[in-house]
Amino acid sequence: MPRSLRNLWQSRPLPVEFREEITTINLRHAQVLMWAGLIFSIWATATNWLDPAYHSTDLYITEAIDLFFTLVFLFLNYLVRGFPPSSRWRSVYVWTFLILLLSSMDAYYFASQNKLGHTSSYILGVAAAGAFLLFPPRVFLPVLVLNHTIYCVLLFTISRQDLTLMPALIQNTAGTVITGVVSWLLFCGRLEEFYHRKALAVSHQDLEKINVQLNEMVAVTAHDLRSPLLGVRDLLAIVQREEAHSDRTSRILLSASDACARMLALVNRLVETYTVEQEADLGVNLTSQDIRKLLTDAAERARITFANKGTIVETKLPDTPVVLALHTLTLARAVDNLLSNAVKFSHPQSTVNLILAQDTSGWYCDIIDEGPGLSEKEHTTLFKKFHRGNAQPTGGETTTGLGLFIVATSMKSLHGSVEFVRLPDKKTCFRLRFG
């Protein structure tokens, strides 16, 4: 049996968060019901006024009182919704509204009976309370029974005793029972949903803790692996330099050196990824500085690093200083990764453009290459960890699938963003936007 049904009639109180949640829902629904009741009241008054056959002083008085309380409670609703969720006045308002709703519809039923006979106003009030408002069944059902008892007493004391009385009683009694059941089920469903959401929130927190622990473990492992790998790389270099080897041995040493270099690159990427995630969580100190110098330095580093590929890195920067709140290392990391990707996936002797410009949203930096571009299905996973696209590096470079993730996380630390921009000539363009 669901926990909401099992514990519904126990004395243990409902969770505070759930009580505040359903009170907020009831406040919203009460407002909707009052606007609907206001329209209905105006329509009923106008209809009765236009038709002399339905003129009734009792009915006019009831409608006037109903209209007055509706306007007052609408005003109070706006006030009470501004109170803190823990305020007891919110609950007092909701329960008062429930009593007013039931009593006003009861009053309208008996006030209009002489002219209109047995109307559906009573059961409409009961159904509206049960279907639109959420109350604990152990409290709401007794209120419903008390209201129906008063209705039955009045029905046999002040109503006309004719052939329509018993059918009206049976109909309204059945409607009240159905309303009670529906109200119970709606409340239980909402309570069960609340428990599920709480369980999911706890599971999410546990998963986040596990993810943090895994990231820390990967970072520690990568950091510990870096020193041995550096040692192996240096030893391989020494062996290659100092002794004459056969062609087969030279090829083996070269392959081992390349494998060590790739493993070292992956380890460095893992350490870098952990660093940017920590920066995104803890934040970095931003200082105002001219971004043009940072971009110029990044372009020069790319020219030196990829000189053997013959790639041309062109910059287009404003002539006047562009001062933004930045963190030097974080921005350099993002731009270096984008330039590295641009050169890596472009053909030799091609051109990579680095452009700093401004639009209505602020300053942005475009890095455009002449590579093969990206497919539509890649757009949703571009900036996820370990994403690998269909395109392959054109110069045999290694790729770990972490570059764009590092860029996106770095820009998050700078209160900026990165996005892929589709250009008319199908060139690949990544745009860094600064906050």
Side-chain angles (χ1 to χ4, degrees):
M1 181 182 293
R3 175 168 37 182
S4 58
L5 288 173
R6 187 171 61 248
N7 298 330
L8 202 55
W9 295 92
Q10 295 180 1
S11 59
R12 188 174 63 180
L14 294 169
V16 175
E17 294 180 16
F18 179 70
R19 293 205 305 270
E20 293 175 354
E21 178 181 305
I22 62 173
T23 300
T24 301
I25 294 172
N26 287 337
L27 286 171
R28 290 200 305 265
H29 289 182
Q31 186 183 46
V32 174
L33 286 174
M34 283 186 289
W35 279 112
L38 186 63
I39 295 172
F40 172 78
S41 181
I42 294 174
W43 171 80
T45 303
T47 301
N48 296 335
W49 182 266
L50 293 175
D51 191 343
Y54 294 114
H55 284 188
S56 170
T57 303
D58 292 341
L59 185 58
Y60 291 147
I61 293 174
T62 302
E63 290 173 347
I65 294 174
D66 180 54
L67 183 63
F68 171 76
F69 277 106
T70 300
L71 293 174
V72 170
F73 268 72
L74 270 174
F75 175 73
L76 291 176
N77 186 279
Y78 284 106
L79 291 181
V80 173
R81 287 174 68 177
F83 292 175
S86 58
S87 174
R88 296 186 63 181
W89 288 109
R90 292 162 64 92
S91 298
V92 170
Y93 173 89
V94 169
W95 281 103
T96 306
F97 173 77
L98 171 65
I99 301 303
L100 177 67
L101 173 63
L102 294 176
S103 59
S104 63
M105 297 304 283
D106 291 355
Y108 187 84
Y109 176 88
F110 289 106
S112 62
Q113 193 175 43
N114 290 333
K115 294 290 184 178
L116 304 177
H118 295 283
T119 65
S120 59
S121 59
Y122 167 78
I123 199 60
L124 280 176
V126 171
F132 285 90
L133 302 177
L134 293 169
F135 293 101
R138 64 179 177 225
V139 180
F140 178 70
L141 293 183
V143 171
L144 207 60
V145 170
L146 176 62
N147 179 69
H148 192 66
T149 302
I150 295 173
Y151 163 78
C152 292
V153 171
L154 294 176
L155 190 66
F156 283 102
T157 55
I158 66 175
S159 295
R160 292 177 300 179
Q161 306 297 312
D162 54 22
L163 295 177
T164 63
L165 187 144
M166 288 307 297
L169 175 62
I170 295 173
Q171 176 182 349
N172 289 333
T173 301
T176 301
V177 172
I178 293 173
T179 298
V181 173
V182 169
S183 172
W184 188 335
L185 294 176
L186 289 175
F187 185 86
C188 291
R190 175 67 67 168
L191 182 58
E192 200 65 27
E193 179 192 349
F194 172 80
Y195 283 130
H196 281 309
R197 280 190 279 115
K198 293 291 290 183
L200 287 174
V202 172
S203 299
H204 181 69
Q205 291 175 355
D206 292 341
L207 288 174
E208 284 187 339
K209 291 178 181 178
I210 294 173
N211 186 54
V212 169
Q213 292 172 354
L214 287 174
N215 285 338
E216 291 176 350
M217 183 181 69
V218 169
V220 171
T221 304
H223 186 272
D224 291 343
L225 282 173
R226 185 156 53 177
S227 294
L229 286 172
L230 287 171
V232 172
R233 184 194 65 180
D234 294 340
L235 289 173
L236 288 171
I238 292 172
V239 172
Q240 287 177 310
R241 285 197 308 266
E242 291 188 352
E243 297 184 15
H245 305 286
S246 64
D247 291 342
R248 183 172 180 274
T249 303
S250 297
R251 288 196 299 272
I252 292 174
L253 288 173
L254 182 60
S255 297
S257 180
D258 289 343
C260 183
R262 288 195 296 272
M263 190 178 296
L264 188 59
L266 175 59
V267 167
N268 288 334
R269 281 295 206 183
L270 290 173
V271 173
E272 188 178 17
T273 300
Y274 179 75
T275 301
V276 298
E277 287 180 321
Q278 290 294 101
E279 289 180 354
D281 292 336
L282 303 177
V284 294
N285 294 324
L286 305 181
T287 58
S288 297
Q289 50 189 304
D290 188 356
I291 191 176
R292 297 180 306 162
K293 183 179 184 308
L294 299 177
L295 297 180
T296 302
D297 293 344
E300 187 58 31
R301 286 194 298 271
R303 294 188 188 102
I304 296 172
T305 304
F306 301 100
N308 59 337
K309 202 169 184 180
T311 303
I312 302 171
V313 181
E314 295 185 350
T315 58
K316 183 179 179 182
L317 308 175
D319 297 328
T320 56
V322 179
V323 179
L324 300 174
L326 305 169
H327 185 266
T328 303
L329 294 179
T330 305
L331 178 61
R333 185 187 297 120
V335 177
D336 286 346
N337 273 283
L338 286 181
L339 286 174
S340 173
N341 277 358
V343 175
K344 191 182 298 182
F345 293 100
S346 297
H347 294 289
Q349 312 302 323
S350 60
T351 301
V352 173
N353 291 284
L354 190 154
I355 303 171
L356 180 63
Q358 186 181 28
D359 59 12
T360 54
S361 299
W363 287 97
Y364 64 89
C365 174
D366 281 351
I367 296 177
I368 307 170
D369 65 61
E370 299 174 351
L374 299 167
S375 62
E376 288 287 345
K377 64 180 182 180
E378 291 183 76
H379 293 180
T380 56
T381 58
L382 269 179
F383 303 104
K384 293 187 176 181
K385 195 181 291 186
F386 298 111
H387 165 82
R388 291 174 183 266
N390 297 325
Q392 297 297 319
T394 57
E397 299 93 342
T398 59
T399 176
T400 60
L402 292 170
L404 291 178
F405 174 79
I406 291 173
V407 173
T409 310
S410 298
M411 292 306 297
K412 179 182 176 182
S413 301
L414 299 174
H415 308 299
S417 63
V418 59
E419 58 185 312
F420 171 74
V421 179
R422 180 174 293 279
L423 299 179
D425 53 8
K426 297 184 179 180
K427 292 182 178 180
T428 303
C429 173
F430 285 94
R431 176 166 295 173
L432 301 178
R433 283 204 172 272
F434 304 101

